[in-house]
Every structure is written in structure tokens, then in C-alpha cells.
Coordinates of all heavy atoms in Angstrom, one line a residue:
M1031 N 19.6 27.8 -10.6 CA 19.2 29.2 -10.2 C 18.5 29.9 -11.3 O 19.1 30.0 -12.4 CB 20.4 30.0 -9.8 CG 20.6 30.0 -8.3 SD 20.4 31.1 -7.0 CE 20.2 32.7 -7.2
T1032 N 17.4 30.4 -11.1 CA 16.7 31.1 -12.2 C 17.0 32.6 -12.1 O 16.8 33.3 -13.1 CB 15.2 31.0 -12.0 OG1 14.8 31.3 -10.7 CG2 14.7 29.6 -12.3
G1033 N 17.6 33.0 -11.1 CA 18.0 34.4 -11.0 C 16.9 35.2 -10.4 O 15.8 35.1 -10.8
Q1034 N 17.2 36.1 -9.5 CA 16.2 36.9 -8.8 C 15.9 38.1 -9.7 O 16.8 38.7 -10.3 CB 16.8 37.4 -7.5 CG 15.7 37.4 -6.4 CD 16.2 37.9 -5.1 OE1 17.4 38.0 -4.9 NE2 15.3 38.3 -4.3
R1035 N 14.6 38.3 -9.9 CA 14.2 39.4 -10.7 C 14.4 40.7 -9.9 O 14.2 40.8 -8.7 CB 12.7 39.4 -11.0 CG 12.5 39.7 -12.5 CD 11.1 40.0 -12.8 NE 10.2 38.9 -12.9 CZ 8.9 39.0 -12.7 NH1 8.3 40.2 -12.5 NH2 8.1 37.9 -12.8
A1036 N 15.0 41.7 -10.5 CA 15.2 43.0 -9.8 C 13.9 43.6 -9.4 O 13.0 43.7 -10.1 CB 16.0 43.9 -10.8
Q1037 N 13.9 43.9 -8.1 CA 12.7 44.5 -7.5 C 12.6 46.0 -7.8 O 11.6 46.6 -7.9 CB 12.7 44.2 -6.0 CG 12.7 42.7 -5.8 CD 11.9 42.4 -4.5 OE1 11.9 43.1 -3.6 NE2 11.1 41.2 -4.6
H1038 N 13.8 46.6 -7.8 CA 13.8 48.0 -8.1 C 14.6 48.3 -9.4 O 15.6 47.7 -9.6 CB 14.4 48.7 -6.9 CG 13.7 48.5 -5.6 ND1 12.5 49.0 -5.3 CD2 14.0 47.7 -4.5 CE1 12.1 48.6 -4.1 NE2 13.0 47.8 -3.6
E1039 N 14.1 49.2 -10.1 CA 14.8 49.6 -11.3 C 16.1 50.4 -10.8 O 16.0 51.2 -10.0 CB 14.0 50.5 -12.1 CG 14.3 50.4 -13.6 CD 13.4 51.3 -14.4 OE1 12.2 51.3 -14.1 OE2 13.9 51.9 -15.4
L1040 N 17.2 50.0 -11.4 CA 18.5 50.7 -11.0 C 18.7 51.8 -12.0 O 18.5 51.8 -13.2 CB 19.7 49.7 -11.1 CG 19.7 48.6 -10.1 CD1 21.0 47.8 -10.3 CD2 19.7 49.2 -8.7
I1041 N 19.1 52.9 -11.3 CA 19.5 54.1 -12.1 C 20.9 54.4 -11.8 O 21.5 54.0 -10.9 CB 18.6 55.3 -11.7 CG1 18.6 55.5 -10.2 CG2 17.1 55.1 -12.2 CD1 18.2 56.9 -9.8
G1042 N 21.5 55.3 -12.7 CA 22.9 55.7 -12.4 C 22.8 56.8 -11.3 O 22.1 57.8 -11.4
C1043 N 23.7 56.6 -10.3 CA 23.7 57.6 -9.3 C 24.1 59.0 -9.8 O 25.0 59.1 -10.7 CB 24.8 57.2 -8.2 SG 25.2 58.5 -7.0
N1044 N 23.4 59.9 -9.3 CA 23.6 61.3 -9.8 C 25.1 61.8 -9.6 O 25.6 62.6 -10.3 CB 22.6 62.2 -9.1 CG 22.7 63.6 -9.8 OD1 22.6 63.8 -11.0 ND2 22.7 64.6 -8.9
D1045 N 25.7 61.2 -8.5 CA 27.0 61.7 -8.2 C 28.1 60.9 -8.6 O 29.1 61.3 -9.2 CB 27.1 61.9 -6.6 CG 26.3 63.1 -6.1 OD1 26.2 64.0 -6.9 OD2 25.8 63.1 -5.0
C1046 N 28.0 59.5 -8.5 CA 29.1 58.7 -8.9 C 28.8 57.8 -10.1 O 29.7 57.1 -10.6 CB 29.5 57.8 -7.7 SG 28.3 56.5 -7.2
G1047 N 27.5 57.7 -10.5 CA 27.2 56.9 -11.7 C 27.0 55.5 -11.4 O 26.7 54.7 -12.3
S1048 N 27.2 55.0 -10.2 CA 27.0 53.6 -9.9 C 25.5 53.2 -10.0 O 24.6 54.1 -9.7 CB 27.5 53.2 -8.5 OG 28.9 53.6 -8.5
G1049 N 25.2 52.0 -10.2 CA 23.8 51.6 -10.2 C 23.2 51.6 -8.8 O 23.8 51.2 -7.8
V1050 N 22.1 52.3 -8.7 CA 21.5 52.5 -7.4 C 20.0 52.4 -7.6 O 19.5 52.9 -8.6 CB 22.0 53.8 -6.7 CG1 21.6 55.0 -7.6 CG2 21.3 54.0 -5.3
S1051 N 19.3 51.9 -6.6 CA 17.8 51.8 -6.7 C 17.2 53.1 -6.7 O 17.7 54.0 -6.0 CB 17.3 51.0 -5.5 OG 15.9 51.2 -5.4
F1052 N 16.2 53.3 -7.5 CA 15.6 54.6 -7.7 C 14.9 55.0 -6.4 O 14.8 56.2 -6.1 CB 14.5 54.5 -8.8 CG 13.8 55.8 -9.1 CD1 14.5 56.7 -9.8 CD2 12.5 56.1 -8.6 CE1 13.9 58.0 -10.1 CE2 12.0 57.3 -8.9 CZ 12.7 58.3 -9.6
S1053 N 14.5 54.0 -5.5 CA 13.9 54.4 -4.3 C 14.8 54.5 -3.1 O 14.4 54.8 -2.0 CB 12.8 53.3 -4.0 OG 13.4 52.0 -3.9
A1054 N 16.1 54.3 -3.4 CA 17.2 54.4 -2.3 C 17.2 55.8 -1.8 O 17.1 56.7 -2.6 CB 18.5 53.9 -2.9
L1055 N 17.4 55.9 -0.5 CA 17.5 57.2 0.1 C 18.9 57.8 -0.1 O 19.1 59.0 -0.1 CB 17.1 57.1 1.6 CG 15.6 56.8 1.8 CD1 15.4 56.6 3.3 CD2 14.7 57.9 1.3
A1056 N 19.9 56.8 -0.1 CA 21.2 57.3 -0.3 C 22.0 56.3 -1.1 O 21.6 55.1 -1.2 CB 21.9 57.4 1.1
C1057 N 23.0 56.7 -1.9 CA 23.8 55.8 -2.8 C 24.6 54.9 -1.9 O 25.2 55.4 -0.9 CB 24.6 56.7 -3.7 SG 25.7 55.7 -4.7
R1058 N 24.7 53.6 -2.2 CA 25.5 52.6 -1.5 C 26.9 52.8 -1.7 O 27.8 52.4 -1.0 CB 25.0 51.2 -1.9 CG 23.8 50.7 -1.1 CD 23.6 49.2 -1.4 NE 23.4 49.0 -2.8 CZ 23.9 48.0 -3.4 NH1 24.7 47.1 -2.8 NH2 23.7 47.8 -4.7
H1059 N 27.2 53.4 -2.9 CA 28.7 53.5 -3.3 C 29.3 54.8 -2.8 O 30.4 54.7 -2.3 CB 28.7 53.4 -4.8 CG 28.0 52.2 -5.3 ND1 28.6 51.0 -5.3 CD2 26.8 52.0 -5.8 CE1 27.8 50.1 -5.9 NE2 26.7 50.7 -6.1
C1060 N 28.7 55.9 -3.0 CA 29.3 57.2 -2.6 C 28.6 57.8 -1.4 O 29.1 58.8 -0.9 CB 29.4 58.1 -3.8 SG 27.8 58.8 -4.3
G1061 N 27.5 57.3 -1.0 CA 26.8 57.9 0.1 C 26.0 59.2 -0.2 O 25.5 59.9 0.6
S1062 N 25.9 59.4 -1.6 CA 25.1 60.6 -1.9 C 23.7 60.6 -1.4 O 23.0 59.5 -1.4 CB 25.1 60.7 -3.5 OG 24.1 61.6 -3.9
R1063 N 23.2 61.7 -0.9 CA 21.9 61.7 -0.3 C 20.8 61.8 -1.4 O 19.7 61.6 -1.1 CB 21.8 62.9 0.6 CG 22.8 62.9 1.7 CD 22.6 61.8 2.7 NE 21.4 61.9 3.5 CZ 21.0 61.0 4.4 NH1 21.8 59.9 4.6 NH2 19.9 61.2 5.0
E1064 N 21.2 62.2 -2.6 CA 20.2 62.3 -3.7 C 20.7 61.5 -4.9 O 21.1 62.1 -5.9 CB 20.0 63.8 -4.1 CG 19.2 64.5 -3.0 CD 18.9 66.0 -3.5 OE1 19.8 66.8 -3.4 OE2 17.9 66.2 -4.1
P1065 N 20.7 60.1 -4.8 CA 21.3 59.3 -5.8 C 20.5 59.5 -7.1 O 21.0 59.4 -8.2 CB 21.2 57.9 -5.3 CG 20.2 58.0 -4.2 CD 20.3 59.4 -3.6
A1066 N 19.2 59.9 -7.0 CA 18.3 60.0 -8.2 C 18.5 61.5 -8.7 O 17.9 61.8 -9.7 CB 16.9 59.8 -7.9
G1067 N 19.2 62.3 -8.1 CA 19.4 63.7 -8.5 C 18.2 64.5 -8.0 O 17.2 63.9 -7.6
P1068 N 18.4 65.7 -8.0 CA 17.3 66.6 -7.5 C 16.1 66.4 -8.4 O 16.2 66.3 -9.6 CB 17.9 68.0 -7.6 CG 19.0 68.0 -8.6 CD 19.5 66.6 -8.4
Y1069 N 14.9 66.5 -7.8 CA 13.7 66.2 -8.6 C 13.5 67.4 -9.5 O 13.5 68.6 -9.1 CB 12.5 66.1 -7.6 CG 11.2 65.8 -8.3 CD1 11.0 64.6 -8.9 CD2 10.3 66.8 -8.5 CE1 9.9 64.3 -9.7 CE2 9.1 66.5 -9.2 CZ 8.9 65.3 -9.8 OH 7.8 65.0 -10.5
V1070 N 13.3 67.0 -10.8 CA 13.1 68.1 -11.8 C 11.7 67.9 -12.4 O 11.4 66.7 -12.9 CB 14.2 68.0 -12.9 CG1 13.9 69.1 -13.9 CG2 15.6 68.1 -12.3
E1071 N 10.9 68.9 -12.4 CA 9.6 68.8 -13.0 C 9.8 68.8 -14.5 O 10.5 69.6 -15.1 CB 8.8 70.0 -12.6 CG 7.8 69.8 -11.4 CD 6.9 70.9 -11.3 OE1 7.1 72.0 -11.9 OE2 5.9 70.7 -10.5
S1072 N 9.2 67.8 -15.1 CA 9.1 67.8 -16.6 C 8.2 68.9 -17.1 O 7.4 69.4 -16.3 CB 8.7 66.5 -17.1 OG 7.3 66.3 -16.9
S1073 N 8.4 69.3 -18.3 CA 7.6 70.4 -18.9 C 6.1 70.0 -18.9 O 5.2 70.8 -18.7 CB 8.0 70.7 -20.3 OG 7.8 69.6 -21.2
K1074 N 5.8 68.7 -19.0 CA 4.5 68.2 -19.0 C 3.9 68.4 -17.6 O 2.7 68.8 -17.4 CB 4.4 66.7 -19.4 CG 3.0 66.2 -19.7 CD 3.0 64.7 -20.0 CE 1.6 64.2 -20.1 NZ 1.6 62.7 -20.0
E1075 N 4.7 68.1 -16.6 CA 4.2 68.3 -15.2 C 4.0 69.7 -14.9 O 3.0 70.1 -14.2 CB 5.2 67.7 -14.2 CG 5.1 66.2 -14.1 CD 6.2 65.6 -13.2 OE1 7.4 66.0 -13.4 OE2 6.0 64.8 -12.4
R1076 N 4.9 70.6 -15.4 CA 4.7 72.0 -15.2 C 3.4 72.5 -15.8 O 2.7 73.3 -15.2 CB 5.9 72.8 -15.8 CG 6.9 73.2 -14.7 CD 7.7 74.4 -15.2 NE 8.3 74.1 -16.5 CZ 9.5 73.5 -16.7 NH1 10.1 73.0 -15.7 NH2 10.0 73.4 -17.9
R1077 N 3.1 71.9 -17.0 CA 1.9 72.4 -17.7 C 0.7 71.9 -16.9 O -0.3 72.7 -16.7 CB 1.9 71.8 -19.1 CG 1.1 72.5 -20.1 CD 1.5 72.2 -21.5 NE 1.5 70.7 -21.8 CZ 0.4 70.0 -22.0 NH1 -0.7 70.6 -22.2 NH2 0.5 68.7 -22.2
L1078 N 0.7 70.7 -16.5 CA -0.4 70.1 -15.7 C -0.6 71.0 -14.4 O -1.7 71.3 -14.0 CB -0.2 68.7 -15.3 CG -0.5 67.6 -16.4 CD1 -0.2 66.2 -15.9 CD2 -2.0 67.7 -16.7
H1079 N 0.5 71.4 -13.9 CA 0.4 72.2 -12.7 C -0.3 73.5 -13.0 O -1.1 74.0 -12.2 CB 1.9 72.5 -12.2 CG 2.0 72.5 -10.7 ND1 2.2 71.4 -10.0 CD2 2.0 73.6 -9.9 CE1 2.2 71.7 -8.7 NE2 2.1 73.1 -8.6
R1080 N 0.1 74.1 -14.1 CA -0.5 75.4 -14.4 C -2.0 75.2 -14.7 O -2.8 76.1 -14.3 CB 0.2 76.0 -15.7 CG 1.3 76.9 -15.4 CD 1.6 77.9 -16.5 NE 1.8 77.2 -17.8 CZ 3.1 76.8 -18.1 NH1 4.1 77.1 -17.4 NH2 3.3 76.2 -19.3
I1081 N -2.3 74.1 -15.4 CA -3.8 73.8 -15.7 C -4.5 73.7 -14.4 O -5.6 74.2 -14.2 CB -3.9 72.6 -16.6 CG1 -3.4 72.9 -18.0 CG2 -5.3 72.1 -16.6 CD1 -3.3 71.6 -18.8
E1082 N -3.9 73.0 -13.5 CA -4.6 72.7 -12.2 C -4.9 74.1 -11.5 O -5.9 74.3 -10.8 CB -3.8 71.8 -11.2 CG -4.5 70.5 -11.1 CD -3.5 69.4 -10.8 OE1 -2.7 69.5 -10.0 OE2 -3.6 68.4 -11.5
E1083 N -3.9 74.9 -11.5 CA -4.0 76.3 -10.9 C -5.2 77.0 -11.6 O -6.1 77.6 -10.9 CB -2.8 77.1 -11.1 CG -2.0 77.2 -9.8 CD -0.6 77.8 -10.0 OE1 -0.5 78.7 -10.8 OE2 0.4 77.2 -9.4
K1084 N -5.2 76.9 -12.9 CA -6.3 77.6 -13.6 C -7.6 77.0 -13.3 O -8.7 77.6 -13.2 CB -6.0 77.4 -15.1 CG -6.2 78.8 -15.9 CD -6.1 78.6 -17.3 CE -4.7 79.0 -17.8 NZ -4.5 78.7 -19.2
N1085 N -7.6 75.6 -13.1 CA -8.9 75.0 -12.8 C -9.4 75.4 -11.5 O -10.6 75.6 -11.4 CB -8.6 73.4 -12.7 CG -8.5 72.8 -14.1 OD1 -8.7 73.5 -15.1 ND2 -8.1 71.5 -14.1
D1086 N -8.6 75.6 -10.5 CA -9.1 76.1 -9.2 C -9.7 77.5 -9.4 O -10.8 77.7 -8.8 CB -7.9 76.2 -8.2 CG -7.4 74.9 -7.8 OD1 -8.1 73.9 -8.0 OD2 -6.3 74.8 -7.3
Q1087 N -9.1 78.3 -10.2 CA -9.7 79.6 -10.4 C -11.0 79.5 -11.1 O -12.0 80.2 -10.8 CB -8.7 80.5 -11.2 CG -7.5 80.9 -10.5 CD -6.4 81.5 -11.4 OE1 -6.6 81.7 -12.6 NE2 -5.3 81.8 -10.8
T1088 N -11.1 78.6 -12.1 CA -12.3 78.4 -12.8 C -13.4 77.9 -11.9 O -14.6 78.4 -11.9 CB -12.2 77.3 -13.9 OG1 -11.1 77.8 -14.8 CG2 -13.4 77.2 -14.7
L1089 N -13.1 77.0 -11.0 CA -14.1 76.4 -10.1 C -14.6 77.5 -9.2 O -15.8 77.6 -9.0 CB -13.4 75.2 -9.4 CG -14.4 74.2 -8.9 CD1 -15.2 73.6 -10.0 CD2 -13.7 73.1 -8.1
I1090 N -13.7 78.2 -8.6 CA -14.1 79.3 -7.7 C -14.9 80.3 -8.4 O -16.0 80.7 -8.0 CB -12.8 79.9 -7.1 CG1 -12.2 78.9 -6.1 CG2 -13.3 81.2 -6.3 CD1 -10.8 79.3 -5.7
G1091 N -14.5 80.7 -9.6 CA -15.2 81.7 -10.4 C -16.6 81.2 -10.8 O -17.5 82.0 -10.6
M1092 N -16.7 79.9 -11.2 CA -18.1 79.4 -11.6 C -18.9 79.4 -10.3 O -20.1 79.6 -10.4 CB -17.9 78.0 -12.2 CG -17.3 78.0 -13.5 SD -18.2 79.0 -14.7 CE -19.5 77.9 -15.2
M1093 N -18.4 79.0 -9.2 CA -19.2 78.9 -8.0 C -19.6 80.2 -7.4 O -20.4 80.3 -6.5 CB -18.4 78.0 -6.9 CG -18.4 76.5 -7.3 SD -17.4 75.5 -6.2 CE -18.6 75.4 -4.8
V1094 N -18.9 81.3 -7.8 CA -19.3 82.6 -7.4 C -20.2 83.2 -8.4 O -21.2 83.8 -8.2 CB -18.1 83.5 -7.2 CG1 -18.5 84.9 -7.0 CG2 -17.3 83.0 -6.0
L1095 N -19.8 83.0 -9.7 CA -20.5 83.7 -10.8 C -21.9 83.1 -11.0 O -22.9 83.8 -11.1 CB -19.7 83.4 -12.1 CG -20.2 84.2 -13.3 CD1 -19.9 85.7 -13.1 CD2 -19.5 83.8 -14.6
C1096 N -22.1 81.8 -11.0 CA -23.4 81.2 -11.3 C -24.4 81.5 -10.2 O -25.5 81.9 -10.6 CB -23.2 79.7 -11.5 SG -22.5 79.3 -13.1
P1097 N -24.1 81.3 -9.0 CA -25.1 81.8 -8.0 C -25.3 83.3 -8.1 O -26.5 83.7 -7.9 CB -24.4 81.4 -6.6 CG -23.4 80.4 -6.9 CD -23.0 80.7 -8.3
G1098 N -24.3 84.0 -8.4 CA -24.5 85.5 -8.6 C -25.5 85.8 -9.7 O -26.4 86.6 -9.5
I1099 N -25.4 85.1 -10.8 CA -26.3 85.3 -11.9 C -27.7 84.9 -11.5 O -28.7 85.5 -11.7 CB -25.8 84.5 -13.2 CG1 -24.5 85.1 -13.7 CG2 -26.9 84.5 -14.2 CD1 -23.8 84.3 -14.8
G1100 N -27.8 83.7 -10.9 CA -29.1 83.1 -10.4 C -29.7 84.1 -9.5 O -30.9 84.4 -9.6
F1101 N -28.9 84.6 -8.5 CA -29.5 85.5 -7.6 C -30.0 86.8 -8.2 O -31.1 87.3 -7.9 CB -28.4 85.9 -6.5 CG -28.9 86.6 -5.3 CD1 -29.6 86.0 -4.3 CD2 -28.7 88.0 -5.3 CE1 -30.1 86.7 -3.2 CE2 -29.2 88.8 -4.2 CZ -29.9 88.1 -3.2
F1102 N -29.2 87.3 -9.1 CA -29.5 88.5 -9.9 C -30.8 88.3 -10.6 O -31.8 89.1 -10.7 CB -28.4 89.0 -10.7 CG -28.6 90.3 -11.5 CD1 -28.6 91.5 -10.8 CD2 -28.9 90.2 -12.8 CE1 -28.8 92.6 -11.5 CE2 -29.2 91.4 -13.6 CZ -29.2 92.6 -12.9
Y1103 N -30.8 87.2 -11.3 CA -32.0 86.8 -12.2 C -33.3 86.7 -11.3 O -34.3 87.3 -11.6 CB -31.7 85.5 -12.9 CG -32.9 85.0 -13.7 CD1 -33.1 85.5 -15.0 CD2 -33.8 84.1 -13.2 CE1 -34.2 85.0 -15.7 CE2 -34.9 83.6 -14.0 CZ -35.1 84.1 -15.2 OH -36.1 83.6 -16.0
G1104 N -33.1 86.1 -10.1 CA -34.2 86.0 -9.2 C -34.7 87.3 -8.7 O -35.9 87.6 -8.6
V1105 N -33.8 88.2 -8.4 CA -34.2 89.5 -7.9 C -35.0 90.3 -8.9 O -36.0 90.9 -8.7 CB -32.9 90.3 -7.5 CG1 -33.3 91.8 -7.2 CG2 -32.3 89.8 -6.2
V1106 N -34.4 90.2 -10.2 CA -35.1 91.0 -11.3 C -36.4 90.4 -11.7 O -37.4 91.1 -11.8 CB -34.1 91.0 -12.5 CG1 -34.8 91.6 -13.7 CG2 -32.9 91.8 -12.1
M1107 N -36.5 89.1 -11.8 CA -37.6 88.4 -12.4 C -38.7 88.1 -11.3 O -39.9 88.1 -11.6 CB -37.2 87.1 -13.1 CG -36.2 87.3 -14.2 SD -36.8 88.4 -15.5 CE -38.0 87.4 -16.3
V1108 N -38.3 87.7 -10.1 CA -39.3 87.1 -9.2 C -39.4 87.9 -7.9 O -40.4 88.2 -7.4 CB -38.9 85.7 -8.8 CG1 -40.0 85.0 -8.1 CG2 -38.5 84.9 -10.1
G1109 N -38.2 88.3 -7.4 CA -38.2 89.1 -6.1 C -37.1 88.5 -5.2 O -36.6 87.4 -5.4
A1110 N -36.8 89.3 -4.2 CA -35.7 89.0 -3.4 C -35.7 87.7 -2.7 O -34.7 87.0 -2.6 CB -35.5 90.1 -2.3
F1111 N -36.9 87.3 -2.3 CA -37.0 86.0 -1.5 C -36.7 84.8 -2.4 O -35.9 84.0 -2.1 CB -38.4 85.9 -1.0 CG -38.6 84.6 -0.1 CD1 -38.0 84.6 1.2 CD2 -39.3 83.5 -0.5 CE1 -38.1 83.4 1.9 CE2 -39.4 82.4 0.2 CZ -38.8 82.3 1.5
A1112 N -37.3 84.8 -3.6 CA -37.0 83.6 -4.5 C -35.6 83.7 -5.0 O -35.1 82.7 -5.5 CB -38.0 83.7 -5.7
A1113 N -35.0 84.9 -4.9 CA -33.7 85.0 -5.5 C -32.7 84.1 -4.8 O -31.8 83.6 -5.5 CB -33.2 86.5 -5.3
F1114 N -32.9 83.7 -3.5 CA -32.1 82.8 -2.8 C -32.2 81.4 -3.5 O -31.2 80.7 -3.6 CB -32.4 82.7 -1.4 CG -32.0 84.0 -0.6 CD1 -32.9 85.0 -0.3 CD2 -30.6 84.1 -0.3 CE1 -32.5 86.1 0.4 CE2 -30.2 85.3 0.4 CZ -31.2 86.3 0.7
G1115 N -33.4 81.1 -3.9 CA -33.6 79.8 -4.6 C -32.8 79.8 -5.9 O -32.2 78.8 -6.2
Y1116 N -32.9 80.9 -6.6 CA -32.1 81.0 -7.9 C -30.6 81.0 -7.7 O -29.9 80.4 -8.4 CB -32.5 82.2 -8.7 CG -33.8 82.1 -9.4 CD1 -35.0 82.5 -8.9 CD2 -33.8 81.4 -10.7 CE1 -36.2 82.4 -9.6 CE2 -35.0 81.3 -11.4 CZ -36.2 81.7 -10.9 OH -37.3 81.5 -11.5
G1117 N -30.2 81.6 -6.6 CA -28.8 81.6 -6.2 C -28.3 80.2 -6.0 O -27.3 79.7 -6.4
L1118 N -29.2 79.4 -5.2 CA -28.9 78.0 -4.9 C -28.8 77.2 -6.2 O -27.9 76.4 -6.4 CB -29.9 77.5 -4.0 CG -29.6 76.2 -3.3 CD1 -28.5 76.4 -2.3 CD2 -30.8 75.6 -2.6
L1119 N -29.7 77.5 -7.1 CA -29.8 76.8 -8.4 C -28.5 77.1 -9.2 O -27.9 76.2 -9.7 CB -31.0 77.3 -9.2 CG -31.3 76.5 -10.5 CD1 -31.8 75.1 -10.2 CD2 -32.3 77.3 -11.3
G1120 N -28.1 78.3 -9.1 CA -26.8 78.7 -9.8 C -25.6 78.0 -9.2 O -24.8 77.5 -9.9
A1121 N -25.6 77.8 -7.9 CA -24.5 77.1 -7.3 C -24.6 75.6 -7.7 O -23.5 75.0 -7.9 CB -24.6 77.2 -5.7
I1122 N -25.8 75.1 -7.8 CA -25.9 73.6 -8.2 C -25.4 73.5 -9.6 O -24.8 72.5 -9.9 CB -27.4 73.2 -8.0 CG1 -27.7 73.1 -6.6 CG2 -27.6 71.9 -8.7 CD1 -29.2 73.0 -6.3
I1123 N -25.7 74.5 -10.4 CA -25.2 74.4 -11.9 C -23.8 74.7 -12.0 O -23.0 74.1 -12.7 CB -26.1 75.3 -12.7 CG1 -27.5 74.9 -12.8 CG2 -25.5 75.4 -14.1 CD1 -28.5 75.9 -13.4
G1124 N -23.4 75.8 -11.2 CA -22.0 76.3 -11.3 C -20.9 75.3 -11.0 O -19.9 75.2 -11.7
A1125 N -21.1 74.5 -9.9 CA -20.0 73.6 -9.5 C -19.8 72.6 -10.5 O -18.6 72.4 -10.9 CB -20.4 73.0 -8.1
P1126 N -20.8 71.8 -11.0 CA -20.4 70.8 -12.1 C -20.0 71.5 -13.3 O -19.2 71.0 -14.1 CB -21.8 70.1 -12.3 CG -22.8 70.7 -11.5 CD -22.1 71.7 -10.6
A1127 N -20.5 72.7 -13.6 CA -20.1 73.4 -14.9 C -18.6 73.7 -14.8 O -17.9 73.5 -15.8 CB -20.9 74.7 -15.1
G1128 N -18.2 74.2 -13.7 CA -16.8 74.5 -13.5 C -15.9 73.2 -13.6 O -14.9 73.2 -14.2
F1129 N -16.5 72.1 -13.0 CA -15.8 70.9 -13.1 C -15.7 70.4 -14.6 O -14.6 69.9 -14.9 CB -16.6 69.8 -12.3 CG -15.9 68.5 -12.3 CD1 -14.8 68.3 -11.5 CD2 -16.5 67.4 -12.9 CE1 -14.2 67.0 -11.4 CE2 -15.9 66.2 -12.9 CZ -14.7 66.0 -12.1
I1130 N -16.8 70.5 -15.3 CA -16.7 70.1 -16.7 C -15.7 70.9 -17.5 O -14.9 70.4 -18.3 CB -18.1 70.3 -17.3 CG1 -19.0 69.1 -16.7 CG2 -18.1 70.1 -18.9 CD1 -20.5 69.3 -17.0
I1131 N -15.7 72.2 -17.2 CA -14.7 73.1 -17.9 C -13.3 72.6 -17.6 O -12.4 72.5 -18.5 CB -14.9 74.6 -17.5 CG1 -16.2 75.1 -18.1 CG2 -13.7 75.4 -18.0 CD1 -16.6 76.4 -17.5
N1132 N -13.0 72.3 -16.3 CA -11.8 71.8 -15.9 C -11.3 70.5 -16.6 O -10.2 70.4 -17.1 CB -11.7 71.6 -14.4 CG -11.8 72.9 -13.6 OD1 -11.6 74.0 -14.3 ND2 -12.0 72.9 -12.4
V1133 N -12.3 69.6 -16.6 CA -12.0 68.3 -17.2 C -11.7 68.5 -18.7 O -10.7 67.9 -19.3 CB -13.2 67.3 -17.0 CG1 -13.0 66.1 -17.9 CG2 -13.3 67.0 -15.6
S1134 N -12.5 69.3 -19.4 CA -12.3 69.5 -20.9 C -11.0 70.2 -21.1 O -10.3 69.9 -22.1 CB -13.5 70.2 -21.5 OG -13.6 71.5 -20.9
R1135 N -10.6 71.1 -20.2 CA -9.4 71.8 -20.4 C -8.2 70.9 -20.3 O -7.3 70.9 -21.0 CB -9.2 72.9 -19.3 CG -8.0 73.7 -19.5 CD -7.8 74.7 -18.4 NE -8.8 75.8 -18.5 CZ -9.3 76.4 -17.5 NH1 -9.0 76.1 -16.3 NH2 -10.1 77.5 -17.7
R1136 N -8.3 69.9 -19.4 CA -7.3 68.9 -19.2 C -7.2 68.0 -20.4 O -6.1 67.6 -20.9 CB -7.5 68.1 -17.9 CG -6.5 67.1 -17.7 CD -6.7 66.4 -16.3 NE -6.2 67.2 -15.2 CZ -5.2 66.8 -14.4 NH1 -4.8 65.6 -14.5 NH2 -4.8 67.5 -13.5
L1137 N -8.4 67.6 -21.0 CA -8.4 66.7 -22.1 C -7.9 67.4 -23.3 O -7.2 66.8 -24.1 CB -9.8 66.2 -22.4 CG -10.4 65.3 -21.3 CD1 -11.9 65.0 -21.6 CD2 -9.6 64.0 -21.3
L1138 N -8.2 68.7 -23.5 CA -7.8 69.4 -24.7 C -6.3 69.9 -24.6 O -5.6 69.9 -25.6 CB -8.7 70.7 -24.9 CG -10.2 70.3 -25.2 CD1 -11.0 71.6 -25.2 CD2 -10.3 69.6 -26.6
G1139 N -5.9 70.2 -23.4 CA -4.6 70.7 -23.1 C -3.7 69.6 -23.2 O -2.6 69.4 -23.4
Ligands
LIG5 ZN1 26.8 57.4 -5.8

């Protein structure tokens, strides 16, 4: 017998301490419904969560701001009709710009 390789990593049950599969829905020994214990967000996960929230704001902000700037520029420099073209250009620039800001924030943070 070569021995069966464990398919699931065993963890100590949160309630009774017995070995229980991490993916188990309930502990085989004490019947605990949360053998892995209540899910706790690590500080890293919390931070990523906050960054993601900020990223959404950045993306929305850029997608409003850039077309706004383009539209304003178009109105001032060319005229109201062409302003829509500049607004569109702003949107085309703004979306990836927001995306790049978000990616760099994640890399730096
Ligand atoms: Zn247990």
C-alpha cells in the first residue's frame, strides 16, 4: 500500500479541534456547522477591498470627468456640435485612464 494522498487539507475544527476537511460543511466529530470557523477577512483582503472600492470611484470619476473636459474643450474651442465628438474622445481616453490608475494603485498599494 502506498497510502492514499489526502485530497483535502485537514484543519482543526473550530469547535472541537478534531481534524476536519477545510471544505467540509460540518464537522464529522462534533457536528459543528462551521468547522473552519467564521470567515475572517485578513487585513490584506480588507485593504484590497478598500482599494477596489476606491477603484470604482476612480473609474466612474474618470468616465465622467474626461468626457466633461472634452465636451467643455469642444464647446470653447470648436463649438457645441463638435463638442460631442470631444466628449466621446474624453470617454475613450477616460475609461482606460481610470483603468490604468486602478491597476497602478493595486501594484503600488
Ligand atoms: Zn468539531
